[in-house]
Amino acid sequence: NFQLVLRPIAIGAGCWVAAEACVGPGVTMGQGSVLAARGVLFNDAESGAIYRGNSAGKIRMRYRSAGSAPADRHVIDRDGLDARSNPQA
């Protein structure tokens, strides 16, 4: 018999957890990190990093520079306008 392990999971702002992925107990996903489809994450994820596999490993960084975290990124709507300045979009 295996004992049930209960610990809180923390998922930061702008994170993506893809289909059929598993985040283990006590894991913290840093801001903007990504866990790919069917990935199994048992260790903390670095902010802005992309992870995949079982057990998930870091494959690369999501952003080129530290200052381009999700909150700093521009969202462009279908008309090519900055969505933050165009609430009608």
Side-chain angles (χ1 to χ4, degrees), residues 21-66:
C22 175
V23 179
V27 171
T28 298
M29 292 184 68
Q31 179 180 350
S33 60
V34 175
L35 179 58
R38 295 188 177 191
V40 180
L41 188 63
F42 287 110
N43 297 310
D44 290 348
E46 179 183 347
S47 293
I50 300 173
Y51 293 82
R52 72 174 179 194
N54 181 4
S55 167
K58 182 171 113 176
I59 57 172
R60 68 180 181 91
M61 294 302 291
R62 185 173 171 193
Y63 305 105
R64 291 189 177 132
S65 66

Side-chain angles (χ1 to χ4, degrees), residues 1 3 5 19 21 23 25 27 31 42 61 68 79 81 89:
N1 290 335
Q3 187 173 6
V5 178
V23 179
V27 171
Q31 179 180 350
F42 287 110
M61 294 302 291
S68 62
D79 297 320
L81 302 171

